[in-house]
Amino acid sequence: MKEFIFLIVLFIANIIQAITGFAGTVLAMPASMFLLGIDDAKVVLNVMALISGLLIAISSYKSINKKELLKICTIMIIGMCIGIQLCKVISSEWLLIVYGIIIIVVAGKNLLIHKEHHLPGILLLCVLIIAGIIHGMFVSGGALLVVYATQTFKDKDEFRATIAPVWVVLNSFLITSQIHSHQFNINNIRLILISIVPLMIATWIGKRLAQKVSQKLFLTITYILLMISGISLIV
């Protein structure tokens, strides 16, 4: 039953992922941690995010801002290295609380403050590093990456197309780390294989919806779901 609920969570989260290019893992991670356990959730969702990002990147290749893609990946990988090490020395309970607070702050800001504030370049770089740290710990740095992306990409297609391959690069790096630390096992590999079909269907549906429905509406829905996810982590 837990695995069935997980597949439903994965399906819904990746429809939104296909629409916006981000938020799929962030939305799925809280429930997945409780359903599968932290380690298995991180492994399964990491692979799912890589596949989803690859599908979106291939279909939107011409809209990718390659210069920004290289910059984002380089800086976030530095942050990821820090995040992976933090997981080894800091209690996961405290990390979950901090993670939840960060999600609530980001979601609340975007829901309540509609006026666009341009952050200085140095702060935007700090946001990317912190996004990498969060991604290294929980495979879900999208909530902070979107803070950078919304100020960098003004075109919806460029935003979506450039963010998607970021997860391909970063999650490939994480998979190497997870293999090295023996986090893959028969159970999570089996669940990965089961999850591929609903993931592909969700990506197809999300792509169609992205062409027909207002991006503003779906971003609003995403931030509401992010808020709920953050609160569930703390409670």
Side-chain angles (χ1 to χ4, degrees):
M1 177 58 95
K2 286 186 177 181
E3 290 185 357
F4 179 73
I5 297 173
F6 165 75
L7 292 175
I8 294 174
V9 170
L10 179 76
F11 181 78
I12 296 173
N14 277 280
I15 289 177
I16 296 175
Q17 172 80 17
I19 294 167
T20 63
F22 77 100
T25 306
V26 181
L27 292 172
M29 184 60 78
S32 300
M33 285 179 174
F34 292 117
L35 292 168
L36 307 179
I38 294 177
D39 291 337
D40 282 343
K42 288 169 65 175
V43 169
V44 176
L45 291 182
N46 181 37
V47 176
M48 293 299 100
L50 189 155
I51 296 173
S52 173
L54 185 60
L55 291 172
I56 297 171
I58 291 173
S59 64
S60 308
Y61 177 78
K62 293 182 179 179
S63 298
I64 296 175
N65 185 323
K66 298 176 180 60
K67 181 179 179 180
E68 279 296 332
L69 175 61
L70 178 61
K71 177 181 178 181
I72 291 170
C73 290
T74 301
I75 295 175
M76 285 190 68
I77 284 175
I78 294 173
M80 281 173 53
C81 293
I82 299 172
I84 291 170
Q85 296 305 313
L86 285 176
C87 277
K88 300 177 181 178
V89 297
I90 299 179
S91 168
S92 60
E93 180 180 349
W94 284 104
L95 290 177
L96 286 173
I97 293 174
V98 172
Y99 174 43
I101 292 172
I102 290 173
I103 290 176
I104 290 172
V105 170
V106 172
K109 179 266 178 187
N110 284 280
L111 280 171
L112 301 176
I113 304 174
H114 299 290
K115 182 179 179 181
E116 186 174 0
H117 296 280
H118 292 280
L119 298 177
I122 187 65
L123 286 182
L124 284 177
L125 293 180
C126 290
V127 167
L128 279 182
I129 292 176
I130 297 173
I133 293 173
I134 296 297
H135 202 69
M137 293 190 293
F138 296 110
V139 201
S140 47
L144 290 178
L145 175 56
V146 73
V147 174
Y148 175 88
T150 52
Q151 297 201 21
T152 305
F153 307 116
K154 302 306 177 184
D155 178 75
K156 183 182 75 171
D157 292 334
E158 184 183 39
F159 178 106
R160 178 176 176 272
T162 306
I163 294 302
V166 169
W167 311 128
V168 177
V169 176
L170 299 188
N171 290 9
S172 295
F173 180 86
L174 273 180
I175 284 177
T176 302
S177 174
Q178 289 170 339
I179 291 174
H180 182 72
S181 56
H182 307 289
Q183 293 183 43
F184 281 85
N185 55 54
I186 294 177
N187 184 57
N188 57 41
I189 291 174
R190 178 182 60 83
L191 193 52
I192 287 169
L193 295 175
I194 294 173
S195 300
I196 290 176
V197 172
L199 171 73
M200 295 183 70
I201 295 173
T203 301
W204 182 84
I205 293 173
K207 182 181 177 181
R208 296 299 182 275
L209 289 175
Q211 298 170 350
K212 297 180 179 180
V213 182
S214 162
Q215 180 76 1
K216 181 179 179 180
L217 172 61
F218 273 94
L219 283 176
T220 299
I221 294 173
T222 298
Y223 291 129
I224 291 173
L225 292 172
L226 284 177
M227 182 75 74
I228 294 172
S229 297
I231 293 172
S232 69
L233 282 170
I234 296 175
V235 173

